[in-house]
Amino acid sequence: MFAKLFRALLGTILIVAGLLLALIGVAGLFSDKENKNLAYGLIAVGSLIALYGYSRGYKARAQRRSTSWRLDPASEKQKEFARDLGIKFPKGITKGELSDKISEVTGE
């Protein structure tokens, strides 16, 4: 949980830092004509940092969405399938826990 939150926060920080670098680069284009290469470099690096930060945050959000089902109670169909495989499980088992047990038996 903490690691996912940290990844999302890190992604946001990288986006902000990248955008600030890009803005500094754009300001450099208008203020100092001699350092255009530096300004273009800041824009490029800032944009890459922002994109990397976005991808980190996006991955964390996608993982959070994709794993929330694991906490739901196991469905009757899932329980029936597990029983057919000979799996014993406690009352109140979650979808994720039962999915892991099924994977152990089926090897998938």
Side-chain angles (χ1 to χ4, degrees), residues 55-76:
S55 70
R56 299 271 308 184
Y58 180 78
K59 182 179 178 184
R61 287 188 301 277
Q63 283 178 339
R64 204 170 41 246
R65 274 195 305 270
S66 68
T67 58
S68 64
W69 64 270
R70 294 183 61 83
L71 301 176
D72 294 337
S75 68
E76 288 306 314

Side-chain angles (χ1 to χ4, degrees), residues 30-94:
F30 293 109
S31 66
D32 189 2
K33 303 294 184 199
E34 294 177 12
N35 291 323
K36 276 194 172 184
N37 288 339
L38 175 63
Y40 286 130
L42 285 174
I43 293 169
V45 169
S47 300
L48 289 173
I49 290 172
L51 283 172
Y52 179 72
Y54 177 76
S55 70
R56 299 271 308 184
Y58 180 78
K59 182 179 178 184
R61 287 188 301 277
Q63 283 178 339
R64 204 170 41 246
R65 274 195 305 270
S66 68
T67 58
S68 64
W69 64 270
R70 294 183 61 83
L71 301 176
D72 294 337
S75 68
E76 288 306 314
K77 269 189 149 181
Q78 190 182 24
K79 290 177 185 177
E80 184 180 323
F81 182 61
R83 283 187 199 102
D84 290 344
L85 293 173
I87 299 171
K88 297 186 186 219
F89 52 88
K91 185 178 180 181
I93 192 167
T94 66

